Amino acid sequence: MAENNEKNKLDINKLLLQPLETSFIRKNFIVNFDVNYEEYLTELINCSKFVTDYGNYKFNQIEEQSHNECDITNGIYSLDYKLLIDDKTMENLFFHSTNISIDENNVRSFYRSKKTGKWRRYILLTIFRNVTKQEIEKIDNSSLQDLDEFQKLIKKYIKNIKMDKNILYFIPYNFYFKNTTMSESILNYIGNELSIHLKGFFDYRKTYTNNKDTYMCFVSKENMVFFKYEEKLNLYDIVALEKSKLYCEVEDICDTWGDCFD
């Protein structure tokens, strides 16, 4: 009952979204240290219900993808990963984030970003907020020069919505409410709100896919939280981030004074 009372007091507009460090989402951003978000997601998935729900076989990354294969498979079920982030923000993160390198003695060095000055981080999640299926269809059928700034970002991402694959959309943010324990009840509340605000996104995907599954995930404090879309986003599983060795290594590397350059 206490959880329900706490949930009823929440306001989705007060949900905090803390961006993950660039090292967590940009492949091999750390010099001399191989990082690929697909690897730590796979480690976390192998500690989740994905394994027990799909034959009790662990998932492995598919190295050769010359024929548009998915990112991971366990021989029974295949899944593709898509970051829910736009290309322009990824480019800005690469040029404006503190650079990190590790030498053969495991000494970490931090350098100023490749570029200085003002830059913009778009939050694709909010750009899709309350955009209807019909509006996405219209954007898809329009030429870029006829679209505004945000519509152009949507148009460039549409190919990732229409893919006829089982997809896990990774939202690269830490979701939390201030001074609040992120319980299952509260995470379900977030899932319900996302379902409402992203209805156009899900309806559009449903139109272009043939009975393919749609999952979403994000970090929430010390956990990776997985949702499955079944007419709405249902909480699928919660996996402690410490279950991923790679995630913890990157976290340790980033947890330094290097951010003082930003």
Side-chain angles (χ1 to χ4, degrees):
M1 183 66 70
E3 272 195 0
N4 287 333
N5 290 336
E6 186 178 29
K7 184 179 71 172
N8 291 335
K9 295 177 183 177
L10 295 178
D11 178 355
I12 195 64
N13 294 309
K14 294 182 179 179
L15 178 67
L16 299 176
L17 274 64
Q18 179 182 359
L20 297 187
E21 298 280 356
T22 305
S23 300
F24 284 106
I25 57 177
R26 179 88 187 194
K27 293 182 181 180
N28 300 325
F29 180 74
I30 303 173
V31 177
N32 298 324
F33 184 85
D34 291 337
V35 181
N36 184 338
Y37 74 89
E38 297 172 0
E39 293 180 22
Y40 69 73
L41 275 183
T42 303
E43 288 180 335
L44 293 167
I45 279 176
N46 279 332
C47 297
S48 76
K49 283 177 56 181
F50 279 96
V51 174
T52 53
D53 283 354
Y54 297 108
N56 269 326
Y57 294 102
K58 296 281 188 177
F59 287 83
N60 295 295
Q61 289 186 264
I62 301 173
E63 301 299 334
E64 177 57 48
Q65 299 181 19
S66 58
H67 299 291
N68 203 31
E69 290 88 352
C70 288
D71 288 313
I72 63 170
T73 186
N74 67 352
I76 295 174
Y77 188 78
S78 298
L79 187 65
D80 212 46
Y81 297 139
K82 294 298 173 192
L83 276 172
L84 195 59
I85 191 170
D86 63 279
D87 292 340
K88 185 61 180 175
T89 295
M90 284 292 283
E91 179 183 322
N92 285 338
L93 288 173
F94 176 75
F95 286 111
H96 292 276
S97 298
T98 299
N99 291 285
I100 307 172
S101 68
I102 299 178
D103 68 14
E104 63 274 10
N105 297 314
N106 203 33
V107 175
R108 304 165 192 176
S109 300
F110 296 83
Y111 308 91
R112 293 189 181 277
S113 59
K114 296 176 178 65
K115 291 184 179 180
T116 58
K118 293 181 179 180
W119 62 284
R120 190 164 191 177
R121 181 195 298 271
Y122 298 93
I123 304 178
L124 201 55
L125 182 69
T126 59
I127 290 173
F128 271 104
R129 184 173 180 173
N130 297 328
V131 179
T132 67
K133 171 189 169 184
Q134 291 74 23
E135 288 170 332
I136 296 176
E137 191 81 55
K138 184 177 179 181
I139 290 170
D140 193 19
N141 292 326
S142 300
S143 58
L144 275 175
Q145 60 263 32
D146 296 328
L147 302 175
D148 65 27
E149 180 183 18
F150 294 150
Q151 290 172 335
K152 288 177 181 178
L153 296 178
I154 289 174
K155 183 174 178 66
K156 291 177 180 179
Y157 196 81
I158 284 176
K159 64 182 184 297
N160 294 325
I161 307 175
K162 296 166 75 170
M163 280 188 176
D164 194 26
K165 297 178 178 181
N166 302 316
I167 292 182
L168 171 65
Y169 294 96
F170 178 25
I171 310 170
Y173 290 85
N174 188 331
F175 285 54
Y176 64 98
F177 288 102
K178 191 175 181 180
N179 301 322
T180 302
T181 300
M182 301 303 289
S183 64
E184 289 189 18
S185 174
I186 290 174
L187 291 170
N188 266 315
Y189 166 72
I190 294 173
N192 288 336
E193 291 293 320
L194 288 177
S195 301
I196 294 168
H197 296 305
L198 298 178
K199 186 176 186 302
F201 181 104
F202 294 119
D203 286 348
Y204 189 79
R205 173 163 166 76
K206 199 171 180 181
T207 300
Y208 285 91
T209 56
N210 184 22
N211 296 319
K212 294 297 189 294
D213 294 329
T214 302
Y215 295 90
M216 279 191 169
C217 70
F218 53 75
V219 171
S220 184
K221 294 192 174 179
E222 69 278 3
N223 297 309
M224 184 70 75
V225 184
F226 296 93
F227 291 85
K228 185 175 183 179
Y229 188 79
E230 298 165 303
E231 302 307 320
K232 68 182 185 70
L233 285 173
N234 294 312
L235 184 60
Y236 183 70
D237 207 355
I238 303 171
V239 181
L241 293 169
E242 65 183 17
K243 297 286 187 180
S244 168
K245 178 182 177 183
L246 179 58
Y247 189 97
C248 292
E249 288 177 335
V250 177
E251 187 173 50
D252 181 61
I253 291 168
C254 292
D255 187 19
T256 68
W257 49 265
D259 288 337
C260 68
F261 284 124
D262 289 336

